[in-house]
């Protein structure tokens, strides 16, 4: 117990230093000043409530999110929707993020369409899982690049997303190109680095991170694969789980 406590204390101290050294936090004003929510307009509060309702619907009907939720529990990390998901007003450059200081997913109500909530949750839940499983050090650009590669492979370059973005999801090389593009955009937004530096970092860790598909079995699972894996993980009667995806 003592060793575990010492490790958590050390991690919290490191993450507090990250908070003070920027690392993308200015994009999320409420992370430093939680009282800003009091300045929301009536429309702002309405948007928050709409997104919150959508979050519940996503976790009700998306097997991908259920798999990640269960995987977090299996690795000893509790995840509660009220505690670990925060809907906030952010800078225009971002639609969401993961805050390792508080272990919270941030959804930017001012920048995302309601229809994109489930996809964004899938992306950010991957970061939460990586932080839980691998103790990601978000102050290191290589660690950030790795988790962004995995999140892009799962959420941003999936079957439907790849098709809509003309990424050729059925061709491995095209899928990798899509992943690199999304991962690059994410780390350049969160860090003060050039695109050239970002590409170098992504290339240096790409193969290892791209091939790490935990807790899934592939980056490009079909609807049935997600659904059947969730059935196997939970051993729940098939009739109790809706079989469709929201993105």
């Amino acid at each position: 117990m003592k060793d575990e406590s010492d490790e958590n204390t050390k991690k919290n101290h490191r993450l507090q230093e990250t908070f003070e050294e920027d690392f993308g936090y200015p994009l999320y004003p409420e992370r430093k000043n939680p009282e800003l929510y009091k300045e929301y307009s009536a429309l702002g509060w309405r948007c928050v409530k709409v997104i919150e309702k959508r979050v519940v619907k996503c976790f009700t009907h998306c097997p991908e999110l259920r798999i990640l939720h269960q995987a977090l529990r299996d690795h000893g990390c509790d995840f509660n929707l009220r505690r670990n998901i925060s809907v906030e007003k952010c800078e225009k450059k971002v639609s969401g993020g993961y805050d390792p200081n508080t272990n919270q997913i941030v959804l930017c109500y001012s920048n995302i369409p309601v229809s994109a909530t489930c996809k964004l949750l899938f992306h950010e839940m991957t970061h939460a899982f990586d932080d839980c499983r691998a103790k990601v050090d978000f102050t290191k650009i290589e660690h950030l690049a790795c988790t962004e590669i995995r999140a892009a492979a799962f959420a941003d370059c999936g079957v439907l997303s790849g098709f809509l973005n003309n990424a050729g999801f059925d061709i491995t090389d095209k899928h990798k190109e899509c992943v690199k593009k999304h991962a690059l955009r994410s780390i350049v937004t969160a860090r003060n680095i050039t695109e050239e530096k970002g590409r170098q970092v992504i290339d240096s860790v790409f193969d290892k991170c791209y091939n790490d598909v935990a807790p899934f079995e592939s980056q490009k699972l079909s609807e049935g694969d997600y659904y059947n894996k969730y059935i196997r993980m939970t051993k729940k009667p098939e009739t109790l789980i809706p079989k469709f995806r929201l993105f």
Side-chain angles (χ1 to χ4, degrees):
M1 287 294 293
K2 183 178 180 181
D3 291 342
E4 182 179 352
S5 177
D6 290 345
E7 181 180 346
N8 290 337
T9 300
K10 182 179 179 181
K11 180 181 178 183
N12 289 337
H13 178 67
R14 170 176 61 81
L15 294 176
Q16 184 62 33
E17 290 180 353
T18 301
F19 184 93
E20 297 298 327
E21 293 177 6
D22 187 345
F23 295 99
Y25 278 97
L27 299 172
Y28 309 91
E30 289 185 46
R31 298 287 92 188
K32 282 197 171 184
N33 184 5
E35 297 298 309
L36 287 177
Y37 78 92
K38 295 179 179 179
E39 300 177 7
Y40 287 0
S41 64
L43 179 59
W45 278 114
R46 181 179 178 184
C47 292
V48 169
K49 296 302 180 183
V50 169
I51 296 295
E52 288 178 343
K53 289 181 180 179
R54 185 68 172 187
V55 167
V56 174
K57 191 173 183 180
C58 291
F59 276 90
T60 302
H61 298 300
C62 292
E64 300 92 332
L65 296 179
R66 290 190 176 199
I67 290 173
L68 282 166
H69 193 190
Q70 184 63 44
L72 281 165
R73 290 184 173 183
D74 291 345
H75 283 78
C77 298
D78 187 31
F79 192 91
N80 180 280
L81 298 192
R82 287 188 177 275
R83 163 65 183 84
N84 297 99
I85 297 179
S86 179
V87 183
E88 302 176 6
K89 185 176 182 179
C90 314
E91 296 296 327
K92 293 183 178 180
K93 293 173 64 176
V94 292
S95 56
Y98 171 69
D99 183 357
N101 277 347
T102 57
N103 190 28
Q104 283 185 316
I105 289 172
V106 179
L107 302 179
C108 305
Y109 76 82
S110 53
N111 302 336
I112 59 171
V114 176
S115 59
T117 305
C118 298
K119 177 181 173 183
L120 181 58
L121 277 172
F122 192 11
H123 181 109
E124 303 303 340
M125 281 284 287
T126 302
H127 295 324
F129 172 74
D130 286 348
D131 193 25
C132 172
R133 178 191 63 150
K135 302 298 184 287
V136 176
D137 184 349
F138 285 90
T139 66
K140 296 181 178 179
I141 191 68
E142 293 82 7
H143 286 209
L144 176 64
C146 189
T147 189
E148 290 294 354
I149 288 168
R150 283 173 33 79
F154 293 146
D156 300 319
C157 300
V159 175
L160 182 58
S161 299
F163 177 76
L164 293 177
N165 289 286
N166 196 27
F169 60 87
D170 57 333
I171 304 174
T172 300
D173 288 343
K174 290 296 184 180
H175 185 259
K176 289 181 178 180
E177 289 177 12
C178 175
V179 170
K180 287 184 177 182
K181 180 186 72 173
H182 282 275
L184 176 64
R185 183 171 62 189
S186 294
I187 66 173
V188 169
T189 299
R191 297 290 189 271
N192 185 25
I193 62 172
T194 64
E195 289 193 2
E196 181 180 359
K197 173 63 176 178
R199 290 190 185 94
Q200 291 175 356
V201 173
I202 289 172
D203 289 340
S204 70
V205 300
F206 187 81
D207 290 340
K208 178 180 179 180
C209 302
Y210 180 81
N211 291 319
D212 179 4
V213 298
F216 304 103
E217 297 168 355
S218 169
Q219 304 99 331
K220 297 170 284 186
L221 295 176
S222 67
E223 173 186 327
D225 292 329
Y226 280 119
Y227 179 74
N228 293 331
K229 172 153 186 171
Y230 179 67
I231 291 292
R232 293 196 301 272
M233 287 178 64
T234 59
K235 298 181 180 179
K236 291 184 178 181
E238 188 167 338
T239 55
L240 296 182
I241 306 171
K243 188 175 181 179
F244 64 90
R245 299 171 63 187
L246 298 183
F247 63 94

